[in-house]
Structures are given as structure tokens and as C-alpha cells.
Short mmCIF file of all heavy atoms in Angstrom, two decimals:
data_model
loop_
_atom_site.label_atom_id
_atom_site.label_comp_id
_atom_site.label_asym_id
_atom_site.label_seq_id
_atom_site.Cartn_x
_atom_site.Cartn_y
_atom_site.Cartn_z
N THR A 11 -25.23 25.26 25.28
CA THR A 11 -24.26 24.61 24.34
C THR A 11 -23.89 23.23 24.78
O THR A 11 -23.56 23.07 25.93
CB THR A 11 -23.03 25.48 24.28
OG1 THR A 11 -23.40 26.91 24.02
CG2 THR A 11 -22.01 25.00 23.25
N ALA A 12 -23.82 22.33 23.88
CA ALA A 12 -23.46 20.96 24.14
C ALA A 12 -21.91 20.79 24.50
O ALA A 12 -21.19 21.54 23.83
CB ALA A 12 -23.97 20.05 23.12
N THR A 13 -21.64 19.97 25.32
CA THR A 13 -20.29 19.71 25.68
C THR A 13 -19.74 18.67 24.53
O THR A 13 -20.40 17.67 24.42
CB THR A 13 -20.06 19.13 27.06
OG1 THR A 13 -20.68 20.05 27.95
CG2 THR A 13 -18.69 18.81 27.42
N PRO A 14 -18.63 18.97 23.98
CA PRO A 14 -18.02 18.00 23.13
C PRO A 14 -17.84 16.60 23.80
O PRO A 14 -17.48 16.58 24.85
CB PRO A 14 -16.60 18.48 22.71
CG PRO A 14 -16.83 20.00 22.91
CD PRO A 14 -17.77 20.09 24.06
N ALA A 15 -18.10 15.53 23.07
CA ALA A 15 -18.05 14.14 23.61
C ALA A 15 -17.37 13.25 22.71
O ALA A 15 -17.20 13.51 21.38
CB ALA A 15 -19.39 13.73 24.05
N ASP A 16 -16.95 12.10 23.18
CA ASP A 16 -16.43 11.07 22.43
C ASP A 16 -17.59 10.43 21.51
O ASP A 16 -18.49 9.91 22.11
CB ASP A 16 -15.87 9.98 23.27
CG ASP A 16 -15.31 8.82 22.48
OD1 ASP A 16 -15.41 8.78 21.26
OD2 ASP A 16 -14.60 7.92 23.10
N THR A 17 -17.48 10.67 20.19
CA THR A 17 -18.51 10.07 19.35
C THR A 17 -18.22 8.79 18.79
O THR A 17 -19.02 8.13 18.02
CB THR A 17 -18.76 11.16 18.25
OG1 THR A 17 -17.49 11.26 17.54
CG2 THR A 17 -19.18 12.47 18.65
N GLY A 18 -17.15 8.08 19.31
CA GLY A 18 -16.77 6.75 18.89
C GLY A 18 -16.30 6.56 17.56
O GLY A 18 -15.64 7.47 16.94
N ALA A 19 -16.46 5.38 17.02
CA ALA A 19 -15.98 5.07 15.64
C ALA A 19 -16.67 5.83 14.56
O ALA A 19 -17.90 6.19 14.64
CB ALA A 19 -16.20 3.62 15.39
N PRO A 20 -16.04 6.34 13.50
CA PRO A 20 -16.63 7.06 12.49
C PRO A 20 -17.70 6.29 11.81
O PRO A 20 -17.67 5.05 11.71
CB PRO A 20 -15.43 7.27 11.54
CG PRO A 20 -14.26 7.09 12.20
CD PRO A 20 -14.53 6.05 13.36
N ARG A 21 -18.79 6.98 11.47
CA ARG A 21 -19.92 6.29 10.75
C ARG A 21 -19.76 6.39 9.18
O ARG A 21 -20.30 5.54 8.55
CB ARG A 21 -21.22 6.89 11.25
CG ARG A 21 -21.50 6.48 12.66
CD ARG A 21 -22.90 6.99 13.12
NE ARG A 21 -23.03 6.73 14.59
CZ ARG A 21 -23.11 7.55 15.54
NH1 ARG A 21 -22.94 8.90 15.14
NH2 ARG A 21 -23.16 7.35 16.65
N ILE A 22 -19.10 7.46 8.75
CA ILE A 22 -19.04 7.68 7.33
C ILE A 22 -17.69 7.09 6.90
O ILE A 22 -17.58 6.61 5.75
CB ILE A 22 -19.12 9.14 7.04
CG1 ILE A 22 -20.45 9.73 7.45
CG2 ILE A 22 -18.92 9.45 5.51
CD1 ILE A 22 -20.71 11.25 7.28
N TYR A 23 -16.63 7.13 7.65
CA TYR A 23 -15.38 6.75 7.31
C TYR A 23 -15.05 5.43 7.91
O TYR A 23 -15.64 5.07 9.02
CB TYR A 23 -14.37 7.77 7.63
CG TYR A 23 -14.59 9.13 6.86
CD1 TYR A 23 -15.27 10.16 7.48
CD2 TYR A 23 -14.29 9.27 5.55
CE1 TYR A 23 -15.49 11.35 6.84
CE2 TYR A 23 -14.54 10.37 4.82
CZ TYR A 23 -15.17 11.50 5.41
OH TYR A 23 -15.41 12.65 4.89
N PRO A 24 -14.05 4.67 7.45
CA PRO A 24 -13.64 3.35 7.98
C PRO A 24 -13.22 3.55 9.52
O PRO A 24 -12.69 4.55 9.92
CB PRO A 24 -12.49 2.96 7.28
CG PRO A 24 -12.69 3.70 5.91
CD PRO A 24 -13.23 4.91 6.28
N ALA A 25 -13.46 2.53 10.33
CA ALA A 25 -13.07 2.56 11.77
C ALA A 25 -11.63 2.00 12.01
O ALA A 25 -11.20 2.07 13.09
CB ALA A 25 -14.08 1.66 12.46
N GLN A 26 -11.10 1.57 10.95
CA GLN A 26 -9.57 1.13 10.97
C GLN A 26 -8.84 1.54 9.87
O GLN A 26 -9.37 1.80 8.78
CB GLN A 26 -9.52 -0.43 11.12
CG GLN A 26 -10.11 -0.91 12.46
CD GLN A 26 -9.98 -2.38 12.64
OE1 GLN A 26 -10.05 -3.08 11.68
NE2 GLN A 26 -9.77 -2.82 13.81
N SER A 27 -7.50 1.62 9.99
CA SER A 27 -6.55 2.02 8.97
C SER A 27 -5.35 1.04 8.90
O SER A 27 -5.04 0.44 9.89
CB SER A 27 -6.03 3.46 9.32
OG SER A 27 -5.14 3.81 8.40
N PRO A 28 -4.87 0.80 7.78
CA PRO A 28 -5.15 1.42 6.45
C PRO A 28 -6.26 0.91 5.80
O PRO A 28 -6.82 -0.17 6.16
CB PRO A 28 -3.86 1.12 5.64
CG PRO A 28 -3.40 -0.15 6.22
CD PRO A 28 -3.62 -0.09 7.58
N LEU A 29 -6.77 1.66 4.80
CA LEU A 29 -7.95 1.19 4.11
C LEU A 29 -7.76 0.05 3.16
O LEU A 29 -8.65 -0.79 2.98
CB LEU A 29 -8.55 2.39 3.16
CG LEU A 29 -8.76 3.68 3.94
CD1 LEU A 29 -9.31 4.77 3.02
CD2 LEU A 29 -9.78 3.43 5.02
N ASP A 30 -6.62 -0.06 2.53
CA ASP A 30 -6.37 -1.21 1.69
C ASP A 30 -5.56 -2.26 2.45
O ASP A 30 -4.92 -1.99 3.42
CB ASP A 30 -5.70 -0.71 0.42
CG ASP A 30 -4.42 0.03 0.71
OD1 ASP A 30 -4.12 0.38 1.94
OD2 ASP A 30 -3.60 0.42 -0.13
N GLY A 31 -5.58 -3.46 1.89
CA GLY A 31 -4.87 -4.57 2.51
C GLY A 31 -5.80 -5.23 3.61
O GLY A 31 -6.80 -4.67 4.09
N ILE A 32 -5.30 -6.37 4.05
CA ILE A 32 -5.97 -7.15 5.09
C ILE A 32 -5.57 -6.72 6.49
O ILE A 32 -6.40 -6.51 7.37
CB ILE A 32 -5.64 -8.64 4.83
CG1 ILE A 32 -6.26 -9.06 3.52
CG2 ILE A 32 -6.39 -9.40 6.12
CD1 ILE A 32 -5.97 -10.55 3.21
N ALA A 33 -4.32 -6.38 6.71
CA ALA A 33 -3.76 -6.08 8.03
C ALA A 33 -4.22 -4.64 8.39
O ALA A 33 -4.07 -3.71 7.52
CB ALA A 33 -2.30 -6.12 8.08
N LYS A 34 -4.76 -4.48 9.53
CA LYS A 34 -5.09 -3.17 10.07
C LYS A 34 -4.21 -2.84 11.27
O LYS A 34 -3.88 -3.65 11.97
CB LYS A 34 -6.60 -3.13 10.50
CG LYS A 34 -7.57 -3.58 9.45
CD LYS A 34 -7.55 -2.58 8.15
CE LYS A 34 -8.48 -3.07 7.16
NZ LYS A 34 -8.22 -2.55 5.81
N TYR A 35 -3.75 -1.61 11.40
CA TYR A 35 -2.78 -1.18 12.31
C TYR A 35 -3.32 -0.13 13.30
O TYR A 35 -2.79 -0.07 14.47
CB TYR A 35 -1.60 -0.54 11.66
CG TYR A 35 -0.89 -1.51 10.68
CD1 TYR A 35 -0.97 -1.35 9.34
CD2 TYR A 35 -0.23 -2.63 11.25
CE1 TYR A 35 -0.38 -2.34 8.53
CE2 TYR A 35 0.38 -3.60 10.44
CZ TYR A 35 0.26 -3.37 8.97
OH TYR A 35 0.89 -4.28 8.15
N TYR A 36 -4.35 0.65 12.96
CA TYR A 36 -4.87 1.66 13.84
C TYR A 36 -6.43 1.61 13.90
O TYR A 36 -7.12 1.44 12.94
CB TYR A 36 -4.51 3.00 13.36
CG TYR A 36 -3.12 3.38 13.43
CD1 TYR A 36 -2.24 3.08 12.38
CD2 TYR A 36 -2.49 3.81 14.68
CE1 TYR A 36 -0.87 3.38 12.45
CE2 TYR A 36 -1.14 4.09 14.77
CZ TYR A 36 -0.33 3.91 13.71
OH TYR A 36 0.94 4.06 13.75
N ASN A 37 -6.99 1.83 15.13
CA ASN A 37 -8.40 2.05 15.32
C ASN A 37 -8.61 3.51 15.30
O ASN A 37 -7.75 4.35 15.84
CB ASN A 37 -8.96 1.51 16.66
CG ASN A 37 -9.08 0.03 16.72
OD1 ASN A 37 -9.49 -0.53 15.73
ND2 ASN A 37 -8.62 -0.57 17.74
N LEU A 38 -9.71 3.96 14.42
CA LEU A 38 -9.97 5.46 14.24
C LEU A 38 -11.14 5.77 15.06
O LEU A 38 -12.19 4.99 14.97
CB LEU A 38 -10.12 5.64 12.77
CG LEU A 38 -9.02 5.38 11.82
CD1 LEU A 38 -9.57 5.60 10.45
CD2 LEU A 38 -7.68 5.98 12.22
N THR A 39 -11.06 6.84 15.73
CA THR A 39 -12.22 7.37 16.52
C THR A 39 -12.24 8.89 16.37
O THR A 39 -11.26 9.51 16.10
CB THR A 39 -12.21 7.05 18.01
OG1 THR A 39 -10.91 7.41 18.66
CG2 THR A 39 -12.32 5.50 18.36
N ILE A 40 -13.46 9.43 16.52
CA ILE A 40 -13.59 10.81 16.45
C ILE A 40 -14.11 11.33 17.85
O ILE A 40 -15.12 10.83 18.34
CB ILE A 40 -14.64 11.30 15.39
CG1 ILE A 40 -14.15 10.85 14.08
CG2 ILE A 40 -14.84 12.81 15.54
CD1 ILE A 40 -15.13 11.05 12.98
N ASN A 41 -13.34 12.26 18.53
CA ASN A 41 -13.72 12.72 19.85
C ASN A 41 -13.92 14.18 19.81
O ASN A 41 -13.52 14.86 18.85
CB ASN A 41 -12.48 12.48 20.82
CG ASN A 41 -12.28 10.91 21.04
OD1 ASN A 41 -12.32 10.14 20.12
ND2 ASN A 41 -12.07 10.63 22.30
N ALA A 42 -14.57 14.66 20.79
CA ALA A 42 -14.79 16.10 21.02
C ALA A 42 -15.49 16.74 19.69
O ALA A 42 -15.05 17.80 19.28
CB ALA A 42 -13.51 16.89 21.39
N ALA A 43 -16.43 15.99 19.10
CA ALA A 43 -17.00 16.51 17.87
C ALA A 43 -18.14 17.51 18.33
O ALA A 43 -18.99 17.30 19.04
CB ALA A 43 -17.52 15.43 17.05
N THR A 44 -18.01 18.58 17.52
CA THR A 44 -19.19 19.63 17.53
C THR A 44 -19.49 19.89 16.09
O THR A 44 -18.95 19.33 15.18
CB THR A 44 -18.74 20.80 18.32
OG1 THR A 44 -17.84 21.57 17.53
CG2 THR A 44 -18.33 20.52 19.68
N VAL A 45 -20.36 20.85 15.91
CA VAL A 45 -20.70 21.29 14.55
C VAL A 45 -19.44 21.84 13.79
O VAL A 45 -19.22 21.61 12.59
CB VAL A 45 -21.75 22.43 14.52
CG1 VAL A 45 -22.05 23.06 13.14
CG2 VAL A 45 -23.13 21.78 15.12
N ALA A 46 -18.57 22.52 14.48
CA ALA A 46 -17.41 23.10 13.76
C ALA A 46 -16.03 22.45 14.16
O ALA A 46 -15.05 22.79 13.56
CB ALA A 46 -17.39 24.62 14.27
N THR A 47 -15.97 21.54 15.16
CA THR A 47 -14.66 20.94 15.58
C THR A 47 -14.70 19.49 15.75
O THR A 47 -15.80 18.86 15.80
CB THR A 47 -14.19 21.59 16.86
OG1 THR A 47 -15.09 21.17 17.88
CG2 THR A 47 -14.07 23.09 16.82
N PHE A 48 -13.51 18.86 15.69
CA PHE A 48 -13.37 17.46 15.93
C PHE A 48 -11.93 17.15 16.31
O PHE A 48 -11.08 17.94 16.09
CB PHE A 48 -13.94 16.55 14.73
CG PHE A 48 -12.95 16.73 13.54
CD1 PHE A 48 -11.82 15.96 13.50
CD2 PHE A 48 -13.28 17.53 12.57
CE1 PHE A 48 -10.96 16.05 12.36
CE2 PHE A 48 -12.46 17.69 11.48
CZ PHE A 48 -11.28 16.95 11.34
N ILE A 49 -11.75 16.02 16.91
CA ILE A 49 -10.35 15.43 17.10
C ILE A 49 -10.48 13.96 16.72
O ILE A 49 -11.26 13.22 17.12
CB ILE A 49 -10.00 15.43 18.51
CG1 ILE A 49 -9.89 16.95 19.14
CG2 ILE A 49 -8.70 14.84 18.75
CD1 ILE A 49 -9.67 17.04 20.64
N LEU A 50 -9.57 13.70 15.71
CA LEU A 50 -9.52 12.35 15.16
C LEU A 50 -8.36 11.69 15.74
O LEU A 50 -7.32 12.24 15.85
CB LEU A 50 -9.27 12.45 13.66
CG LEU A 50 -8.97 11.12 12.92
CD1 LEU A 50 -10.17 10.14 13.04
CD2 LEU A 50 -8.59 11.35 11.43
N ASN A 51 -8.66 10.41 16.35
CA ASN A 51 -7.60 9.70 16.92
C ASN A 51 -7.34 8.36 16.15
O ASN A 51 -8.24 7.77 15.68
CB ASN A 51 -7.99 9.35 18.35
CG ASN A 51 -8.22 10.42 19.20
OD1 ASN A 51 -7.22 11.20 19.52
ND2 ASN A 51 -9.36 10.63 19.85
N ALA A 52 -5.97 8.10 16.05
CA ALA A 52 -5.59 6.88 15.45
C ALA A 52 -4.78 6.07 16.46
O ALA A 52 -3.58 6.49 16.70
CB ALA A 52 -4.71 7.08 14.19
N ALA A 53 -5.38 5.19 17.16
CA ALA A 53 -4.70 4.38 18.21
C ALA A 53 -4.25 3.03 17.72
O ALA A 53 -4.99 2.30 16.94
CB ALA A 53 -5.71 4.23 19.36
N PRO A 54 -3.14 2.54 18.03
CA PRO A 54 -2.53 1.32 17.65
C PRO A 54 -3.39 0.15 18.03
O PRO A 54 -3.90 0.15 19.23
CB PRO A 54 -1.18 1.25 18.25
CG PRO A 54 -0.75 2.57 18.64
CD PRO A 54 -2.06 3.28 18.93
N ILE A 55 -3.62 -0.81 17.13
CA ILE A 55 -4.47 -1.99 17.53
C ILE A 55 -3.54 -2.95 18.26
O ILE A 55 -2.42 -3.17 17.87
CB ILE A 55 -4.98 -2.73 16.23
CG1 ILE A 55 -5.93 -1.73 15.53
CG2 ILE A 55 -5.65 -3.95 16.50
CD1 ILE A 55 -6.43 -2.15 14.20
N SER A 56 -3.92 -3.43 19.38
CA SER A 56 -3.14 -4.21 20.33
C SER A 56 -2.55 -5.55 19.72
O SER A 56 -1.52 -6.00 20.14
CB SER A 56 -3.84 -4.46 21.61
OG SER A 56 -4.98 -5.28 21.36
N THR A 57 -3.24 -5.99 18.77
CA THR A 57 -2.76 -7.24 18.05
C THR A 57 -1.98 -6.98 16.78
O THR A 57 -1.68 -7.93 16.01
CB THR A 57 -3.98 -8.07 17.78
OG1 THR A 57 -4.96 -7.53 16.93
CG2 THR A 57 -4.62 -8.66 19.10
N SER A 58 -1.79 -5.66 16.47
CA SER A 58 -1.05 -5.34 15.25
C SER A 58 0.41 -5.14 15.42
O SER A 58 0.88 -4.96 16.66
CB SER A 58 -1.69 -4.14 14.51
OG SER A 58 -1.22 -2.99 15.31
N ALA A 59 1.10 -4.93 14.39
CA ALA A 59 2.47 -4.56 14.39
C ALA A 59 2.85 -3.28 15.06
O ALA A 59 3.94 -2.97 15.50
CB ALA A 59 3.16 -4.63 13.01
N GLN A 60 1.79 -2.43 15.09
CA GLN A 60 1.96 -1.07 15.73
C GLN A 60 1.83 -1.17 17.17
O GLN A 60 2.17 -0.09 17.86
CB GLN A 60 0.97 -0.13 15.20
CG GLN A 60 1.27 0.32 13.76
CD GLN A 60 2.64 0.82 13.44
OE1 GLN A 60 3.52 0.11 12.93
NE2 GLN A 60 2.96 1.92 14.07
N ASN A 61 1.41 -2.21 17.83
CA ASN A 61 1.32 -2.33 19.23
C ASN A 61 2.66 -2.02 19.93
O ASN A 61 3.61 -2.54 19.57
CB ASN A 61 0.78 -3.74 19.59
CG ASN A 61 0.60 -3.80 21.13
OD1 ASN A 61 0.04 -2.92 21.75
ND2 ASN A 61 0.90 -4.87 21.74
N GLY A 62 2.56 -1.13 20.88
CA GLY A 62 3.94 -0.69 21.52
C GLY A 62 4.75 0.23 20.77
O GLY A 62 5.89 0.60 21.14
N ASP A 63 4.10 0.78 19.67
CA ASP A 63 4.88 1.86 18.94
C ASP A 63 5.18 2.98 19.71
O ASP A 63 4.39 3.45 20.65
CB ASP A 63 4.01 2.26 17.75
CG ASP A 63 4.73 3.35 16.88
OD1 ASP A 63 5.74 3.02 16.22
OD2 ASP A 63 4.24 4.50 16.86
N LYS A 64 6.40 3.60 19.55
CA LYS A 64 6.87 4.76 20.47
C LYS A 64 6.00 5.95 20.42
O LYS A 64 5.89 6.75 21.34
CB LYS A 64 8.20 5.10 20.12
CG LYS A 64 8.43 5.73 18.77
CD LYS A 64 9.76 6.20 18.40
CE LYS A 64 9.83 6.89 17.08
NZ LYS A 64 11.15 7.33 16.78
N CYS A 65 5.19 6.11 19.30
CA CYS A 65 4.41 7.24 19.13
C CYS A 65 3.07 7.22 19.94
O CYS A 65 2.37 8.24 20.12
CB CYS A 65 4.17 7.51 17.66
SG CYS A 65 5.68 7.85 16.81
N GLY A 66 2.58 5.95 20.17
CA GLY A 66 1.19 5.87 20.79
C GLY A 66 0.22 6.28 19.93
O GLY A 66 0.11 5.82 18.74
N THR A 67 -0.79 6.97 20.36
CA THR A 67 -1.96 7.41 19.57
C THR A 67 -1.77 8.75 18.89
O THR A 67 -1.28 9.69 19.53
CB THR A 67 -3.17 7.63 20.51
OG1 THR A 67 -3.43 6.32 21.09
CG2 THR A 67 -4.44 8.02 19.77
N PHE A 68 -2.08 8.72 17.62
CA PHE A 68 -1.87 10.12 16.81
C PHE A 68 -3.23 10.75 16.88
O PHE A 68 -4.29 10.20 16.84
CB PHE A 68 -1.62 9.77 15.39
CG PHE A 68 -0.23 9.17 15.07
CD1 PHE A 68 0.02 7.83 15.18
CD2 PHE A 68 0.75 10.16 14.72
CE1 PHE A 68 1.29 7.38 14.91
CE2 PHE A 68 1.98 9.63 14.31
CZ PHE A 68 2.30 8.33 14.51
N THR A 69 -3.14 12.12 16.87
CA THR A 69 -4.40 12.92 17.00
C THR A 69 -4.30 13.97 15.95
O THR A 69 -3.19 14.56 15.76
CB THR A 69 -4.68 13.67 18.34
OG1 THR A 69 -3.52 14.53 18.70
CG2 THR A 69 -4.83 12.52 19.46
N LEU A 70 -5.39 14.41 15.31
CA LEU A 70 -5.51 15.51 14.45
C LEU A 70 -6.73 16.17 14.63
O LEU A 70 -7.88 15.63 14.79
CB LEU A 70 -5.57 14.83 13.01
CG LEU A 70 -5.71 15.85 11.79
CD1 LEU A 70 -4.38 16.79 11.58
CD2 LEU A 70 -6.01 15.01 10.55
N THR A 71 -6.66 17.51 14.68
CA THR A 71 -7.90 18.36 15.02
C THR A 71 -8.36 18.95 13.81
O THR A 71 -7.76 18.92 12.72
CB THR A 71 -7.45 19.55 15.91
OG1 THR A 71 -6.80 20.49 15.29
CG2 THR A 71 -6.89 19.14 17.23
N ALA A 72 -9.52 19.52 13.80
CA ALA A 72 -10.23 20.13 12.68
C ALA A 72 -9.44 21.22 11.96
O ALA A 72 -9.63 21.50 10.87
CB ALA A 72 -11.63 20.68 13.07
N VAL A 73 -8.62 21.83 12.80
CA VAL A 73 -7.74 22.95 12.24
C VAL A 73 -6.42 22.56 11.81
O VAL A 73 -5.57 23.35 11.59
CB VAL A 73 -7.72 24.24 13.22
CG1 VAL A 73 -9.11 24.81 13.39
CG2 VAL A 73 -7.15 23.84 14.60
N GLY A 74 -6.18 21.16 11.94
CA GLY A 74 -4.86 20.62 11.39
C GLY A 74 -3.86 20.46 12.45
O GLY A 74 -2.71 20.14 12.11
N VAL A 75 -4.11 20.69 13.72
CA VAL A 75 -3.09 20.55 14.76
C VAL A 75 -2.89 18.97 14.96
O VAL A 75 -3.72 18.21 15.18
CB VAL A 75 -3.53 21.06 16.08
CG1 VAL A 75 -2.54 20.71 17.19
CG2 VAL A 75 -3.80 22.59 15.93
N ARG A 76 -1.63 18.63 14.79
CA ARG A 76 -1.15 17.23 14.95
C ARG A 76 -0.42 16.94 16.33
O ARG A 76 0.35 17.87 16.68
CB ARG A 76 -0.22 16.86 13.88
CG ARG A 76 -0.80 16.98 12.47
CD ARG A 76 0.27 16.79 11.41
NE ARG A 76 -0.34 16.83 10.15
CZ ARG A 76 0.34 16.59 8.97
NH1 ARG A 76 1.58 16.26 9.03
NH2 ARG A 76 -0.30 16.67 7.80
N ASP A 77 -0.76 15.88 16.99
CA ASP A 77 -0.20 15.55 18.22
C ASP A 77 -0.13 14.11 18.42
O ASP A 77 -0.58 13.43 17.57
CB ASP A 77 -0.94 16.34 19.28
CG ASP A 77 -0.02 16.60 20.50
OD1 ASP A 77 1.12 16.19 20.63
OD2 ASP A 77 -0.49 17.31 21.39
N ILE A 78 0.49 13.71 19.56
CA ILE A 78 0.44 12.26 20.03
C ILE A 78 0.09 12.19 21.39
O ILE A 78 0.25 13.16 22.25
CB ILE A 78 1.81 11.59 19.80
CG1 ILE A 78 2.96 12.37 20.56
CG2 ILE A 78 2.07 11.63 18.27
CD1 ILE A 78 4.24 11.60 20.57
N SER A 79 -0.45 11.01 21.94
CA SER A 79 -0.58 10.84 23.38
C SER A 79 -0.31 9.40 23.64
O SER A 79 -0.48 8.50 22.75
CB SER A 79 -2.01 11.14 23.71
OG SER A 79 -2.87 10.27 23.01
N GLY A 80 0.06 9.06 24.87
CA GLY A 80 0.38 7.69 25.28
C GLY A 80 1.60 7.10 24.66
O GLY A 80 1.76 5.90 24.73
N GLY A 81 2.60 7.91 24.19
CA GLY A 81 3.76 7.32 23.60
C GLY A 81 4.82 7.21 24.59
O GLY A 81 4.71 7.44 25.79
N ALA A 82 6.00 6.82 24.11
CA ALA A 82 7.15 6.58 25.02
C ALA A 82 7.71 7.88 25.54
O ALA A 82 7.54 8.90 25.03
CB ALA A 82 8.25 5.88 24.24
N ALA A 83 8.29 7.84 26.74
CA ALA A 83 8.81 8.98 27.33
C ALA A 83 9.83 9.62 26.46
O ALA A 83 10.74 8.95 25.84
CB ALA A 83 9.58 8.59 28.69
N GLY A 84 9.74 10.99 26.35
CA GLY A 84 10.75 11.75 25.58
C GLY A 84 10.35 11.75 24.16
O GLY A 84 11.07 12.57 23.33
N VAL A 85 9.38 11.15 23.63
CA VAL A 85 9.03 11.21 22.12
C VAL A 85 8.04 12.30 22.04
O VAL A 85 7.10 12.56 22.74
CB VAL A 85 8.34 9.81 21.74
CG1 VAL A 85 7.81 9.81 20.29
CG2 VAL A 85 9.25 8.69 21.97
N THR A 86 8.38 13.12 20.91
CA THR A 86 7.47 14.27 20.67
C THR A 86 6.73 14.11 19.31
O THR A 86 6.97 13.15 18.52
CB THR A 86 8.36 15.49 20.50
OG1 THR A 86 9.14 15.38 19.42
CG2 THR A 86 9.30 15.75 21.84
N ARG A 87 5.76 14.98 19.19
CA ARG A 87 5.05 14.84 17.89
C ARG A 87 5.88 14.98 16.66
O ARG A 87 5.54 14.43 15.68
CB ARG A 87 3.88 15.93 17.88
CG ARG A 87 4.30 17.31 17.78
CD ARG A 87 3.17 18.22 17.66
NE ARG A 87 3.50 19.56 17.60
CZ ARG A 87 2.98 20.53 18.09
NH1 ARG A 87 1.84 20.44 18.86
NH2 ARG A 87 3.52 21.80 18.06
N THR A 88 6.95 15.88 16.73
CA THR A 88 7.83 15.94 15.59
C THR A 88 8.61 14.77 15.29
O THR A 88 9.01 14.48 14.08
CB THR A 88 8.85 17.13 15.81
OG1 THR A 88 9.53 17.05 16.98
CG2 THR A 88 8.11 18.48 15.76
N ASP A 89 8.82 13.86 16.29
CA ASP A 89 9.43 12.53 16.02
C ASP A 89 8.54 11.64 15.28
O ASP A 89 8.92 10.80 14.55
CB ASP A 89 9.73 11.80 17.47
CG ASP A 89 10.74 12.53 18.23
OD1 ASP A 89 11.73 13.20 17.70
OD2 ASP A 89 10.64 12.57 19.45
N CYS A 90 7.17 11.84 15.48
CA CYS A 90 6.24 10.93 14.91
C CYS A 90 5.50 11.36 13.62
O CYS A 90 5.26 10.56 12.69
CB CYS A 90 5.17 10.55 15.99
SG CYS A 90 5.92 9.78 17.50
N TRP A 91 5.19 12.67 13.63
CA TRP A 91 4.43 13.25 12.41
C TRP A 91 5.54 13.59 11.40
O TRP A 91 6.15 14.65 11.65
CB TRP A 91 3.51 14.34 12.82
CG TRP A 91 2.23 13.95 13.38
CD1 TRP A 91 2.03 13.83 14.75
CD2 TRP A 91 1.12 13.64 12.72
NE1 TRP A 91 0.68 13.50 14.94
CE2 TRP A 91 0.08 13.34 13.72
CE3 TRP A 91 0.58 13.64 11.37
CZ2 TRP A 91 -1.29 13.04 13.39
CZ3 TRP A 91 -0.62 13.32 11.10
CH2 TRP A 91 -1.55 12.99 12.08
N LYS A 92 5.68 13.03 10.45
CA LYS A 92 6.67 13.38 9.38
C LYS A 92 6.03 13.92 8.08
O LYS A 92 5.02 13.66 7.72
CB LYS A 92 7.50 12.16 8.99
CG LYS A 92 8.13 11.47 10.17
CD LYS A 92 9.44 12.15 10.64
CE LYS A 92 10.04 11.34 11.75
NZ LYS A 92 11.02 11.79 12.41
#
């Protein structure tokens, strides 16, 4: 069985968000991808208005689990995922 790995930037979907407009705020990557699972990450772009955001990187799994990583101390996923 293959070990899930960082598959990098999406090939089918855009590598940055939001899709519309000129300004981009998040880099999108897909990690731990297998035939049945994935973890989508939305990391703030260092040159964007989201740089230093208290939530850090947003994560979403194939089964809909939402989380954050690298955020400010004491900030929880419920503070960020509304």
C-alpha cells in the first residue's frame, strides 16, 4: 500500500484562491492523497492581506473534517471556520 504524500498544487483545480478577481489570498495544495482520501490546505500567501492571519492554514479532509494549523496561540477551528 502506498503511503499518502504531498501531491502539491492541484492539477485540475486552481492553485490559488479566490478564483475571481486579481488579488489572491491563499495557496491551495492537496496532501495525503490516496484513491479514497485527501487533505486540502489553504495557506495564506505571504504577500497578501491574509499574511499573519490568526487562523493560519485551513485544512479540509475528504470526509469534511475542517481544521487549522499554524495559527495564533489559543485560536481554534471554531474561531476560523464559520
Side-chain angles (χ1 to χ4, degrees):
T11 305
T13 302
D16 179 354
T17 58
R21 292 188 184 108
I22 298 173
Y23 300 99
Q26 294 185 323
S27 176
L29 301 179
D30 53 352
I32 296 172
K34 304 300 181 196
Y35 301 106
Y36 292 95
N37 284 319
L38 304 177
T39 56
I40 299 172
N41 293 43
T44 67
V45 172
T47 65
F48 66 84
I49 299 173
L50 174 65
N51 295 301
I55 296 173
S56 63
T57 57
S58 78
Q60 289 306 111
N61 185 39
D63 180 71
K64 69 179 183 177
C65 295
T67 299
F68 288 85
T69 61
L70 177 66
T71 70
V73 295
V75 175
R76 298 173 179 187
D77 208 351
I78 58 169
S79 63
V85 176
T86 67
R87 70 174 179 219
T88 55
D89 296 326
C90 299
W91 281 94
K92 306 280 183 191

